[in-house]
């Protein structure tokens, strides 16, 4: 199984922002509020990922994902090779 499959397992795409400062961003969320923001260099397949954990309640989970998405340009994105085994 590829690392991409593991990273996005159980996720659904909920937001996208295209050609924002030279990047395309995609928000993938899981039930429980954890998820992944994928950043692609616009017009390429150069991708990096930012993973975030969920919160303990449904309300906190919903606001956490939105807060992560709203601050997407300030995250530290990494290659899949930089991730620990999932």
């Amino acid at each position: 199984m590829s690392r991409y499959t593991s990273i996005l397992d159980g996720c659904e795409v909920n937001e996208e922002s295209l050609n924002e400062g030279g990047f395309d961003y995609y928000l993938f969320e899981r039930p429980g509020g954890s998820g992944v923001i994928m950043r692609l260099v616009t017009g390429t397949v150069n991708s990096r990922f930012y993973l975030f954990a969920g919160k303990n309640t449904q309300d906190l989970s919903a606001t956490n994902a939105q807060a992560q998405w709203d601050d997407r340009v300030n995250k530290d994105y990494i290659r899949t090779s930089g991730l620990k085994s999932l």
Side-chain angles (χ1 to χ4, degrees), residues 9-68:
D9 189 34
C11 290
E12 292 185 20
V13 177
N14 287 326
E15 297 278 349
E16 65 179 39
S17 178
L18 303 177
N19 202 12
E20 180 178 338
F23 298 104
D24 296 339
Y25 294 91
Y26 299 89
L27 173 64
F28 297 86
E29 286 184 79
R30 291 182 190 89
S34 67
V36 177
I37 299 174
M38 181 173 67
R39 182 184 76 182
L40 299 169
V41 175
T42 302
T44 73
V45 293
N46 181 347
S47 60
R48 301 290 186 270
F49 300 89
Y50 172 77
L51 283 71
F52 59 91
K55 298 291 182 178
N56 294 331
T57 68
Q58 189 173 14
D59 288 340
L60 286 175
S61 293
T63 58
N64 177 58
Q66 188 62 51
Q68 299 292 337

